[in-house]
Amino acid sequence: MINVAVIGASGYTGLELVKILAGHPRFELAYVATSEGGMRLTELHPAMQGIFECDVHKADAAAVAASCELAFLALPHMTAMGFVKELMALGVKVVDLSADYRLKRETYEAHYVPHIDPENLEHAVYGLPELNREAIRSARLVANPGCYPTASILGLLPFTKYIDEDFPVFIDAKSGVSGAGKKCTTSTHFVSINENIFAYKPFEHRHEPEIREKLLLDSGKDFDINFVPHLIPATRGELIDAYALLKEEIDPIAVLKAYYADEPFVRIFENPVDIKACSGTNFCDIYAKVRGKKLYVNSSVDNIVRGSSSQAVANANLMMGLEENTGIPIIAYVP
Ligand SMILES: NC(=O)c1ccc[n+]([C@@H]2O[C@H](COP(=O)([O-])OP(=O)(O)OC[C@H]3O[C@@H](n4cnc5c(N)ncnc54)[C@H](OP(=O)(O)O)[C@@H]3O)[C@@H](O)[C@H]2O)c1
């Protein structure tokens, strides 16, 4: 067994990590931490009663290094990079779920804060297996992708060579409320979101530069990405509707099937997808349609599973020389 740690276990992605790791055949969840610690795991997450129990510690990098080979950081950005710096110096491999190591330094600093760990940022690998599988295998630090970028990039990747970059690409996205983390705000308050739907941060969301940068790195094309997310009254799940103009007419389903023929965690559908069919799983579900040269791409992930925690475990599997699918959830929470 390989000992691993979860730091930030009281959050939504932290809980999903605990759930996946509790049933993982090769990873032993040996260290669990929050900002203060001092309780048992089942006090934090009663759902784990009878399944997995341990002490929850106040997060400490030296204690992680003393017991674990790899740490999952389910922390807010900025907090994460402080821990990464310490853990890397202590020889612990890291999968960071925050945005701190996803972007080039100039992109990060333009949209977040000044970076305090440019040395590790330099060699961090963006953890989208379909894009970077070989680099992930030998990485010591993996930057787990954002939830919207996971669904958006996987939806658009197969089409980048056909899309006319002289025209904008529009991405209309919807997310369940867990995408905002556990802290309640005015917009995530039950009264605000129940039986409601609204856009937030149109053209200003931080996932827009992430989608743009990763598509540019892969395709060499600097697409004009225009991203508008919405909050919907669901606990989990994200749905992407992307629109672009093509240079030529194509059969989009044939393109998708050819591109993802060997990918275990991308499913191609002949009809529009929804957020239920991949809920609780590591699948990204994709459908696409064209009318003349107009392209519509429709993709879906569970934001706290494929959009963060199960993708993080798949990355850790690759980093530790295991099969990518070891312990990865594939049965959806349906109906
Ligand atoms: N939610 C999503 O759908 C999603 C998807 C992809 C990526 N992400 C990213 O993943 C990260 C975690 O997101 P989340 O939604 O799980 O957040 P969350 O629900 O707000 O949880 C954040 C966690 O961080 C812990 N924490 C904060 N400061 C800490 C410190 N100094 N030491 C130790 N623990 C500390 C909190 O512990 P306490 O309870 O003790 O304060 C809490 O467990 C974020 O960077 C987020 O952007 C989230």
Side-chain angles (χ1 to χ4, degrees):
M1 297 294 277
I2 300 164
N3 282 0
V4 299
V6 172
I7 305 182
S10 51
Y12 290 147
T13 61
L15 172 57
E16 290 299 326
L17 282 166
V18 166
K19 286 161 61 180
I20 296 167
L21 293 168
H24 196 286
R26 296 295 309 283
F27 289 150
E28 181 78 37
L29 185 49
Y31 184 90
V32 174
T34 60
S35 53
E36 294 305 325
M39 73 280 280
R40 298 284 282 168
L41 182 72
T42 53
E43 290 177 56
L44 208 53
H45 299 303
M48 297 308 292
Q49 184 76 42
I51 298 166
F52 185 81
E53 181 64 298
C54 65
D55 287 328
V56 177
H57 304 277
K58 180 177 169 64
D60 177 64
V64 174
S67 56
C68 298
E69 289 181 56
L70 182 143
F72 296 93
L73 302 191
L75 300 170
H77 71 275
M78 293 196 287
T79 307
M81 57 180 146
F83 277 102
V84 169
K85 206 172 174 179
E86 279 190 83
L87 289 167
M88 297 303 289
L90 291 164
V92 179
K93 291 185 178 179
V94 174
V95 180
D96 176 28
L97 279 70
S98 86
D100 283 349
Y101 295 85
R102 291 180 200 155
L103 301 167
K104 287 175 182 289
R105 186 177 180 180
E106 57 273 22
T107 315
Y108 182 86
E109 293 190 342
H111 296 278
Y112 290 84
V113 293
H115 210 288
I116 61 160
D117 187 22
E119 294 78 17
N120 287 314
L121 177 60
E122 193 68 30
H123 63 76
V125 174
Y126 189 68
L128 193 64
E130 290 78 1
L131 204 56
N132 283 332
R133 187 168 282 113
E134 288 316 306
I136 294 165
R137 286 187 210 280
S138 55
R140 293 186 54 236
L141 170 58
V142 163
N144 217 57
C147 42
Y148 285 129
T150 296
S152 303
I153 294 168
L154 289 174
L156 288 167
L157 265 183
F159 299 110
T160 53
K161 69 176 174 184
Y162 304 107
I163 293 174
D164 189 336
E165 69 266 44
D166 290 338
F167 293 92
V169 175
F170 291 98
I171 303 174
D172 175 300
K174 284 117 192 148
S175 178
V177 185
S178 62
K182 69 173 184 173
K183 199 171 171 187
C184 191
T185 64
T186 307
S187 56
T188 62
H189 192 294
F190 179 81
V191 175
S192 304
I193 191 61
N194 180 46
E195 297 176 13
N196 203 2
I197 175 169
F198 46 86
Y200 63 102
K201 299 181 182 165
F203 300 159
E204 288 173 9
H205 195 281
R206 287 161 161 171
H207 286 170
E208 185 180 278
E210 185 177 331
I211 297 164
R212 182 177 166 188
E213 185 177 284
K214 301 310 163 195
L215 292 177
L216 171 62
L217 286 174
D218 183 68
S219 69
K221 291 181 172 181
D222 192 7
F223 293 107
D224 174 14
I225 302 289
N226 298 276
F227 179 77
V228 180
H230 300 73
L231 214 55
I232 59 169
T235 299
R236 59 172 75 219
E238 280 176 358
L239 189 75
I240 299 297
D241 296 293
Y243 306 86
L245 278 182
L246 298 165
K247 289 184 292 191
E248 59 189 274
E249 289 191 28
I250 55 170
D251 175 346
I253 298 295
V255 169
L256 285 170
K257 284 184 174 170
Y259 193 91
Y260 288 122
D262 299 323
E263 287 298 342
F265 294 117
V266 177
R267 301 190 296 192
I268 310 306
F269 285 73
E270 309 266 348
N271 290 296
V273 299
D274 62 31
I275 57 172
K276 271 275 178 183
C278 61
S279 176
T281 79
N282 196 49
F283 289 119
C284 176
D285 290 346
I286 310 179
Y287 161 76
K289 187 169 184 167
V290 299
R291 184 159 63 186
K293 290 184 181 172
K294 287 169 283 193
L295 172 69
Y296 166 63
V297 183
N298 180 219
S299 57
S300 175
V301 297
D302 183 328
N303 55 295
I304 46 176
V305 185
R306 173 56 185 248
S308 50
S309 303
S310 66
Q311 182 150 251
V313 177
N315 283 321
N317 286 339
L318 291 168
M319 293 164 80
M320 300 311 291
L322 306 177
E323 291 295 325
E324 184 177 333
N325 64 356
T326 311
I328 299 297
I330 54 169
I331 306 289
Y333 300 158
V334 281

